[in-house]
Amino acid sequence: MNKHLQQVRDFHDQFGIDQPDYPETMHLSDMDIVMRQALLMDCGSETLKAITIGDLAKILAGLVDLAYNSLAAIACSGGDVVSTSVAWRQDGSVLPVMEVLSDKINNCASGECIHYSALYNICEQLARGFINADFDKAFNLVHNNLMQSAGSSVSAGRDYKQRIAKETLPPAPDLSDALYE
């Protein structure tokens, strides 16, 4: 199992978010896919805003949040991260970054593990190649912050308002230490 996926599964266990036992798989319901897409679109919007202002720490936080949310969808379906080929044009422009992130987020509307995996993989690649950051360190900082946050272990079941509130990631801690000089 992917190490970051295991961390997300641990988060789900601690905070009572339903997920099948690994490696049992299930399809996400239509409403789960809609909820996941809403969370991804929120994170994508914040990431693109950070790119607009050129704040590397916020860009990294956005990429990690996108990766975390894509892994949460995989965990809730019981799957594992699928190796995917991801590419983006490195021409010094931010438009290819915006295009690839938007496309990968849009593809997740299928609810398929392969598309959530592709989003996770491109976030990892962009963190390393676009902003020159230590993705693993940043992911661990965000995960540790989440695990220390207060939360309830009561499952929200089908109440999507409660589930969205429970699964919306709080602001990331300062990730400046994960940026390479």
Side-chain angles (χ1 to χ4, degrees):
M1 177 183 300
N2 176 287
K3 65 183 175 182
H4 294 147
L5 177 60
Q6 183 58 55
Q7 289 176 301
V8 171
R9 290 185 64 82
D10 293 344
F11 168 75
H12 285 179
D13 286 341
Q14 180 169 332
F15 292 95
I17 298 170
D18 291 334
Q19 62 188 357
D21 292 333
Y22 180 80
E24 293 176 23
T25 59
M26 60 180 245
H27 291 286
L28 297 174
S29 72
D30 289 353
M31 289 308 293
D32 284 341
I33 294 169
V34 171
M35 180 190 73
R36 298 265 165 226
Q37 196 67 9
L39 294 170
L40 290 173
M41 290 173 73
D42 284 346
C43 292
S45 175
E46 291 304 312
T47 306
L48 295 178
K49 289 175 188 173
I51 290 171
T52 302
I53 61 174
D55 187 328
L56 294 179
K58 286 185 179 180
I59 296 169
L60 179 57
L63 291 172
V64 171
D65 285 353
L66 277 168
Y68 212 97
N69 275 292
S70 63
L71 291 174
I74 294 170
C76 287
S77 69
D80 200 353
V81 175
V82 178
S83 294
T84 59
S85 174
V86 291
W88 57 284
R89 194 175 73 227
Q90 299 180 23
D91 63 1
S93 171
V94 295
L95 288 179
V97 175
M98 182 217 45
E99 290 171 352
V100 73
L101 281 175
S102 297
D103 288 346
K104 298 299 181 198
I105 291 168
N106 184 54
N107 290 343
C108 290
S110 71
E112 297 295 325
C113 185
I114 187 102
H115 293 125
Y116 293 117
S117 295
L119 178 58
Y120 164 77
N121 289 328
I122 196 66
C123 289
E124 183 177 26
Q125 186 180 37
L126 287 172
R128 292 186 173 134
F130 176 62
I131 59 172
N132 193 29
D134 185 339
F135 181 79
D136 291 328
K137 184 175 184 178
F139 195 94
N140 288 330
L141 287 168
V142 168
H143 176 71
N144 291 337
N145 185 56
L146 288 169
M147 294 299 278
Q148 293 173 5
S149 67
S152 110
S153 61
V154 178
S155 176
R158 293 274 177 224
D159 184 338
Y160 286 96
K161 183 176 180 181
Q162 286 181 339
R163 288 183 65 194
I164 288 172
K166 182 185 280 192
E167 296 193 40
T168 298
L169 300 178
D174 182 13
L175 300 181
S176 298
D177 288 343
L179 296 170
Y180 296 121
E181 305 263 342

Short mmCIF file of all heavy atoms in Angstrom, two decimals, residues 117-164:
data_model
loop_
_atom_site.label_atom_id
_atom_site.label_comp_id
_atom_site.label_asym_id
_atom_site.label_seq_id
_atom_site.Cartn_x
_atom_site.Cartn_y
_atom_site.Cartn_z
N SER A 117 -5.78 8.59 -8.53
CA SER A 117 -4.35 8.28 -8.50
C SER A 117 -3.56 9.24 -9.40
O SER A 117 -2.48 9.69 -9.03
CB SER A 117 -4.11 6.84 -8.95
OG SER A 117 -4.67 5.92 -8.06
N ALA A 118 -4.11 9.53 -10.57
CA ALA A 118 -3.42 10.45 -11.49
C ALA A 118 -3.31 11.84 -10.88
O ALA A 118 -2.27 12.51 -11.02
CB ALA A 118 -4.16 10.50 -12.82
N LEU A 119 -4.35 12.28 -10.17
CA LEU A 119 -4.29 13.58 -9.51
C LEU A 119 -3.23 13.57 -8.41
O LEU A 119 -2.41 14.49 -8.31
CB LEU A 119 -5.65 13.98 -8.95
CG LEU A 119 -5.70 15.30 -8.18
CD1 LEU A 119 -5.24 16.47 -9.05
CD2 LEU A 119 -7.11 15.55 -7.64
N TYR A 120 -3.23 12.53 -7.61
CA TYR A 120 -2.20 12.40 -6.57
C TYR A 120 -0.81 12.43 -7.19
O TYR A 120 0.08 13.15 -6.73
CB TYR A 120 -2.42 11.10 -5.78
CG TYR A 120 -1.23 10.69 -4.95
CD1 TYR A 120 -0.94 11.33 -3.75
CD2 TYR A 120 -0.38 9.67 -5.38
CE1 TYR A 120 0.16 10.96 -3.00
CE2 TYR A 120 0.72 9.29 -4.63
CZ TYR A 120 0.99 9.94 -3.45
OH TYR A 120 2.09 9.58 -2.71
N ASN A 121 -0.60 11.65 -8.25
CA ASN A 121 0.71 11.55 -8.88
C ASN A 121 1.17 12.89 -9.47
O ASN A 121 2.33 13.26 -9.35
CB ASN A 121 0.71 10.46 -9.96
CG ASN A 121 0.64 9.08 -9.36
OD1 ASN A 121 1.16 8.83 -8.28
ND2 ASN A 121 -0.01 8.15 -10.06
N ILE A 122 0.26 13.65 -10.10
CA ILE A 122 0.66 14.93 -10.67
C ILE A 122 0.96 15.94 -9.57
O ILE A 122 1.87 16.77 -9.71
CB ILE A 122 -0.36 15.49 -11.70
CG1 ILE A 122 0.27 16.60 -12.56
CG2 ILE A 122 -1.60 16.01 -11.04
CD1 ILE A 122 1.38 16.17 -13.46
N CYS A 123 0.23 15.89 -8.47
CA CYS A 123 0.52 16.80 -7.34
C CYS A 123 1.92 16.53 -6.80
O CYS A 123 2.68 17.47 -6.52
CB CYS A 123 -0.52 16.65 -6.24
SG CYS A 123 -2.14 17.32 -6.68
N GLU A 124 2.25 15.27 -6.65
CA GLU A 124 3.59 14.90 -6.18
C GLU A 124 4.65 15.39 -7.17
O GLU A 124 5.66 15.98 -6.77
CB GLU A 124 3.67 13.38 -5.99
CG GLU A 124 4.98 12.90 -5.44
CD GLU A 124 4.98 11.40 -5.19
OE1 GLU A 124 4.24 10.65 -5.85
OE2 GLU A 124 5.77 10.99 -4.31
N GLN A 125 4.42 15.18 -8.45
CA GLN A 125 5.38 15.58 -9.47
C GLN A 125 5.51 17.11 -9.54
O GLN A 125 6.62 17.63 -9.65
CB GLN A 125 4.96 15.03 -10.83
CG GLN A 125 5.97 15.28 -11.92
CD GLN A 125 5.53 14.72 -13.25
OE1 GLN A 125 4.36 14.75 -13.59
NE2 GLN A 125 6.47 14.23 -14.02
N LEU A 126 4.42 17.84 -9.45
CA LEU A 126 4.48 19.30 -9.50
C LEU A 126 5.18 19.86 -8.26
O LEU A 126 5.92 20.86 -8.36
CB LEU A 126 3.07 19.90 -9.62
CG LEU A 126 2.40 19.74 -10.98
CD1 LEU A 126 0.94 20.19 -10.91
CD2 LEU A 126 3.16 20.50 -12.05
N ALA A 127 4.95 19.25 -7.10
CA ALA A 127 5.63 19.73 -5.90
C ALA A 127 7.14 19.61 -6.06
O ALA A 127 7.88 20.52 -5.69
CB ALA A 127 5.17 18.93 -4.68
N ARG A 128 7.57 18.55 -6.66
CA ARG A 128 9.02 18.33 -6.84
C ARG A 128 9.57 19.11 -8.02
O ARG A 128 10.63 19.71 -7.92
CB ARG A 128 9.29 16.84 -7.00
CG ARG A 128 9.01 16.08 -5.74
CD ARG A 128 9.42 14.63 -5.82
NE ARG A 128 9.25 14.03 -4.50
CZ ARG A 128 8.68 12.87 -4.29
NH1 ARG A 128 8.23 12.16 -5.28
NH2 ARG A 128 8.57 12.39 -3.07
N GLY A 129 8.86 19.10 -9.14
CA GLY A 129 9.40 19.68 -10.36
C GLY A 129 9.04 21.13 -10.62
O GLY A 129 9.84 21.87 -11.20
N PHE A 130 7.87 21.55 -10.20
CA PHE A 130 7.41 22.92 -10.48
C PHE A 130 7.86 23.90 -9.40
O PHE A 130 8.31 24.99 -9.69
CB PHE A 130 5.88 22.93 -10.64
CG PHE A 130 5.28 24.30 -10.84
CD1 PHE A 130 5.62 25.06 -11.95
CD2 PHE A 130 4.38 24.80 -9.94
CE1 PHE A 130 5.06 26.32 -12.16
CE2 PHE A 130 3.80 26.06 -10.12
CZ PHE A 130 4.15 26.82 -11.24
N ILE A 131 7.72 23.49 -8.13
CA ILE A 131 8.11 24.42 -7.07
C ILE A 131 9.33 23.96 -6.28
O ILE A 131 9.74 24.62 -5.34
CB ILE A 131 6.93 24.73 -6.11
CG1 ILE A 131 6.42 23.47 -5.45
CG2 ILE A 131 5.83 25.46 -6.81
CD1 ILE A 131 5.41 23.74 -4.36
N ASN A 132 9.93 22.82 -6.66
CA ASN A 132 11.17 22.35 -6.05
C ASN A 132 11.01 22.19 -4.54
O ASN A 132 11.69 22.85 -3.75
CB ASN A 132 12.33 23.29 -6.39
CG ASN A 132 13.67 22.67 -6.06
OD1 ASN A 132 13.83 21.45 -6.09
ND2 ASN A 132 14.65 23.51 -5.72
N ALA A 133 10.11 21.30 -4.15
CA ALA A 133 9.83 21.09 -2.73
C ALA A 133 9.92 19.61 -2.38
O ALA A 133 9.85 18.74 -3.25
CB ALA A 133 8.44 21.61 -2.40
N ASP A 134 10.06 19.35 -1.11
CA ASP A 134 10.08 17.99 -0.57
C ASP A 134 8.64 17.58 -0.29
O ASP A 134 8.08 17.91 0.76
CB ASP A 134 10.93 17.96 0.69
CG ASP A 134 11.10 16.56 1.26
OD1 ASP A 134 10.28 15.66 0.95
OD2 ASP A 134 12.05 16.37 2.05
N PHE A 135 8.02 16.89 -1.26
CA PHE A 135 6.62 16.51 -1.14
C PHE A 135 6.37 15.63 0.08
O PHE A 135 5.39 15.83 0.80
CB PHE A 135 6.16 15.79 -2.42
CG PHE A 135 4.72 15.39 -2.40
CD1 PHE A 135 3.72 16.32 -2.67
CD2 PHE A 135 4.34 14.09 -2.12
CE1 PHE A 135 2.38 15.96 -2.64
CE2 PHE A 135 3.00 13.71 -2.10
CZ PHE A 135 2.02 14.66 -2.36
N ASP A 136 7.25 14.66 0.33
CA ASP A 136 7.06 13.76 1.47
C ASP A 136 7.05 14.53 2.78
O ASP A 136 6.21 14.28 3.65
CB ASP A 136 8.16 12.69 1.50
CG ASP A 136 8.05 11.70 0.36
OD1 ASP A 136 6.92 11.42 -0.08
OD2 ASP A 136 9.09 11.21 -0.10
N LYS A 137 7.99 15.44 2.94
CA LYS A 137 8.06 16.24 4.17
C LYS A 137 6.80 17.08 4.33
O LYS A 137 6.22 17.14 5.42
CB LYS A 137 9.30 17.13 4.15
CG LYS A 137 9.50 17.92 5.42
CD LYS A 137 10.83 18.68 5.38
CE LYS A 137 11.07 19.41 6.69
NZ LYS A 137 12.38 20.10 6.67
N ALA A 138 6.36 17.73 3.25
CA ALA A 138 5.16 18.55 3.30
C ALA A 138 3.94 17.70 3.63
O ALA A 138 3.10 18.09 4.45
CB ALA A 138 4.97 19.30 1.98
N PHE A 139 3.81 16.54 3.00
CA PHE A 139 2.68 15.65 3.25
C PHE A 139 2.67 15.23 4.72
O PHE A 139 1.62 15.23 5.37
CB PHE A 139 2.75 14.41 2.34
CG PHE A 139 1.47 13.64 2.28
CD1 PHE A 139 0.55 13.88 1.28
CD2 PHE A 139 1.16 12.68 3.23
CE1 PHE A 139 -0.65 13.18 1.21
CE2 PHE A 139 -0.04 11.98 3.19
CZ PHE A 139 -0.93 12.22 2.17
N ASN A 140 3.83 14.88 5.25
CA ASN A 140 3.92 14.47 6.65
C ASN A 140 3.56 15.61 7.60
O ASN A 140 2.91 15.39 8.63
CB ASN A 140 5.31 13.91 6.97
CG ASN A 140 5.53 12.55 6.33
OD1 ASN A 140 4.60 11.77 6.15
ND2 ASN A 140 6.77 12.27 5.97
N LEU A 141 3.98 16.84 7.28
CA LEU A 141 3.63 17.99 8.11
C LEU A 141 2.11 18.19 8.15
O LEU A 141 1.53 18.41 9.22
CB LEU A 141 4.31 19.26 7.59
CG LEU A 141 5.81 19.38 7.84
CD1 LEU A 141 6.40 20.53 7.02
CD2 LEU A 141 6.10 19.58 9.32
N VAL A 142 1.47 18.10 6.98
CA VAL A 142 0.02 18.25 6.92
C VAL A 142 -0.66 17.11 7.66
O VAL A 142 -1.58 17.34 8.46
CB VAL A 142 -0.46 18.33 5.45
CG1 VAL A 142 -1.97 18.18 5.36
CG2 VAL A 142 -0.01 19.63 4.81
N HIS A 143 -0.20 15.90 7.45
CA HIS A 143 -0.81 14.74 8.11
C HIS A 143 -0.69 14.85 9.64
O HIS A 143 -1.67 14.63 10.35
CB HIS A 143 -0.17 13.44 7.61
CG HIS A 143 -0.67 12.23 8.32
ND1 HIS A 143 -1.94 11.73 8.13
CD2 HIS A 143 -0.09 11.43 9.25
CE1 HIS A 143 -2.11 10.67 8.90
NE2 HIS A 143 -1.00 10.47 9.59
N ASN A 144 0.50 15.18 10.12
CA ASN A 144 0.69 15.30 11.56
C ASN A 144 -0.18 16.40 12.15
O ASN A 144 -0.73 16.25 13.25
CB ASN A 144 2.17 15.55 11.90
CG ASN A 144 3.02 14.33 11.60
OD1 ASN A 144 2.53 13.20 11.56
ND2 ASN A 144 4.30 14.55 11.36
N ASN A 145 -0.35 17.50 11.42
CA ASN A 145 -1.23 18.59 11.86
C ASN A 145 -2.68 18.09 11.95
O ASN A 145 -3.38 18.40 12.91
CB ASN A 145 -1.12 19.77 10.89
CG ASN A 145 -1.92 20.97 11.33
OD1 ASN A 145 -1.74 21.48 12.42
ND2 ASN A 145 -2.81 21.42 10.45
N LEU A 146 -3.10 17.32 10.97
CA LEU A 146 -4.46 16.77 10.98
C LEU A 146 -4.68 15.79 12.13
O LEU A 146 -5.72 15.82 12.79
CB LEU A 146 -4.76 16.05 9.66
CG LEU A 146 -4.96 16.93 8.44
CD1 LEU A 146 -4.99 16.08 7.18
CD2 LEU A 146 -6.23 17.73 8.57
N MET A 147 -3.69 14.94 12.37
CA MET A 147 -3.84 13.93 13.41
C MET A 147 -3.89 14.57 14.80
O MET A 147 -4.49 14.01 15.72
CB MET A 147 -2.70 12.91 13.33
CG MET A 147 -2.74 12.07 12.07
SD MET A 147 -4.23 11.08 11.88
CE MET A 147 -3.83 9.68 12.91
N GLN A 148 -3.29 15.74 14.96
CA GLN A 148 -3.29 16.42 16.25
C GLN A 148 -4.51 17.30 16.44
O GLN A 148 -4.78 17.76 17.53
CB GLN A 148 -2.02 17.25 16.41
CG GLN A 148 -0.78 16.41 16.51
CD GLN A 148 0.49 17.23 16.50
OE1 GLN A 148 0.46 18.44 16.50
NE2 GLN A 148 1.62 16.54 16.47
N SER A 149 -5.24 17.54 15.35
CA SER A 149 -6.42 18.40 15.45
C SER A 149 -7.54 17.68 16.19
O SER A 149 -7.62 16.46 16.21
CB SER A 149 -6.88 18.85 14.07
OG SER A 149 -7.37 17.76 13.34
N ALA A 150 -8.39 18.46 16.79
CA ALA A 150 -9.53 17.88 17.51
C ALA A 150 -10.53 17.36 16.52
O ALA A 150 -10.75 17.95 15.47
CB ALA A 150 -10.17 18.93 18.41
N GLY A 151 -11.15 16.27 16.84
CA GLY A 151 -12.17 15.70 15.96
C GLY A 151 -13.01 14.70 16.70
O GLY A 151 -12.69 14.28 17.80
N SER A 152 -14.08 14.33 16.07
CA SER A 152 -14.97 13.38 16.72
C SER A 152 -14.82 12.04 16.04
O SER A 152 -14.43 11.95 14.88
CB SER A 152 -16.41 13.88 16.62
OG SER A 152 -17.17 13.12 15.75
N SER A 153 -15.11 10.99 16.75
CA SER A 153 -15.03 9.66 16.17
C SER A 153 -16.41 9.13 15.82
O SER A 153 -16.57 7.96 15.57
CB SER A 153 -14.33 8.71 17.15
OG SER A 153 -15.07 8.63 18.33
N VAL A 154 -17.39 10.02 15.78
CA VAL A 154 -18.75 9.62 15.44
C VAL A 154 -18.93 9.76 13.94
O VAL A 154 -18.68 10.82 13.38
CB VAL A 154 -19.79 10.48 16.19
CG1 VAL A 154 -21.19 10.09 15.80
CG2 VAL A 154 -19.59 10.35 17.69
N SER A 155 -19.35 8.70 13.29
CA SER A 155 -19.52 8.73 11.84
C SER A 155 -20.72 9.59 11.46
O SER A 155 -21.74 9.57 12.13
CB SER A 155 -19.71 7.31 11.32
OG SER A 155 -19.96 7.33 9.94
N ALA A 156 -20.58 10.32 10.37
CA ALA A 156 -21.66 11.18 9.91
C ALA A 156 -22.61 10.45 8.95
O ALA A 156 -23.60 11.02 8.53
CB ALA A 156 -21.08 12.42 9.22
N GLY A 157 -22.29 9.21 8.60
CA GLY A 157 -23.17 8.42 7.74
C GLY A 157 -23.50 9.11 6.44
O GLY A 157 -22.63 9.47 5.68
N ARG A 158 -24.77 9.32 6.15
CA ARG A 158 -25.21 9.90 4.90
C ARG A 158 -25.47 11.41 5.00
O ARG A 158 -25.96 12.01 4.07
CB ARG A 158 -26.48 9.20 4.41
CG ARG A 158 -26.24 7.76 4.03
CD ARG A 158 -25.78 7.70 2.59
NE ARG A 158 -25.47 6.34 2.24
CZ ARG A 158 -24.40 6.00 1.55
NH1 ARG A 158 -23.54 6.90 1.16
NH2 ARG A 158 -24.18 4.75 1.26
N ASP A 159 -25.18 12.03 6.12
CA ASP A 159 -25.37 13.47 6.28
C ASP A 159 -24.16 14.16 5.64
O ASP A 159 -23.10 14.31 6.24
CB ASP A 159 -25.49 13.84 7.76
CG ASP A 159 -25.79 15.31 7.95
OD1 ASP A 159 -25.51 16.12 7.04
OD2 ASP A 159 -26.31 15.66 9.02
N TYR A 160 -24.34 14.58 4.39
CA TYR A 160 -23.23 15.12 3.63
C TYR A 160 -22.75 16.46 4.15
O TYR A 160 -21.58 16.79 4.01
CB TYR A 160 -23.57 15.17 2.13
CG TYR A 160 -23.53 13.80 1.53
CD1 TYR A 160 -24.69 13.05 1.39
CD2 TYR A 160 -22.33 13.22 1.19
CE1 TYR A 160 -24.65 11.75 0.89
CE2 TYR A 160 -22.27 11.93 0.68
CZ TYR A 160 -23.43 11.21 0.53
OH TYR A 160 -23.36 9.93 0.05
N LYS A 161 -23.61 17.22 4.78
CA LYS A 161 -23.17 18.49 5.37
C LYS A 161 -22.13 18.20 6.46
O LYS A 161 -21.09 18.85 6.52
CB LYS A 161 -24.36 19.26 5.94
CG LYS A 161 -24.01 20.61 6.49
CD LYS A 161 -25.24 21.37 6.94
CE LYS A 161 -24.86 22.72 7.49
NZ LYS A 161 -26.03 23.47 7.95
N GLN A 162 -22.41 17.22 7.32
CA GLN A 162 -21.46 16.84 8.36
C GLN A 162 -20.21 16.21 7.77
O GLN A 162 -19.11 16.46 8.23
CB GLN A 162 -22.10 15.87 9.35
CG GLN A 162 -23.09 16.50 10.29
CD GLN A 162 -23.67 15.47 11.24
OE1 GLN A 162 -23.65 14.27 10.98
NE2 GLN A 162 -24.20 15.94 12.36
N ARG A 163 -20.37 15.40 6.75
CA ARG A 163 -19.22 14.74 6.14
C ARG A 163 -18.30 15.74 5.46
O ARG A 163 -17.08 15.63 5.57
CB ARG A 163 -19.69 13.68 5.14
CG ARG A 163 -20.30 12.48 5.85
CD ARG A 163 -20.69 11.40 4.90
NE ARG A 163 -19.51 10.87 4.25
CZ ARG A 163 -19.54 10.10 3.17
NH1 ARG A 163 -20.69 9.78 2.64
NH2 ARG A 163 -18.45 9.64 2.64
N ILE A 164 -18.87 16.72 4.77
CA ILE A 164 -18.04 17.74 4.13
C ILE A 164 -17.28 18.52 5.20
O ILE A 164 -16.08 18.78 5.06
CB ILE A 164 -18.88 18.67 3.23
CG1 ILE A 164 -19.30 17.91 1.97
CG2 ILE A 164 -18.09 19.93 2.85
CD1 ILE A 164 -20.28 18.66 1.09
#
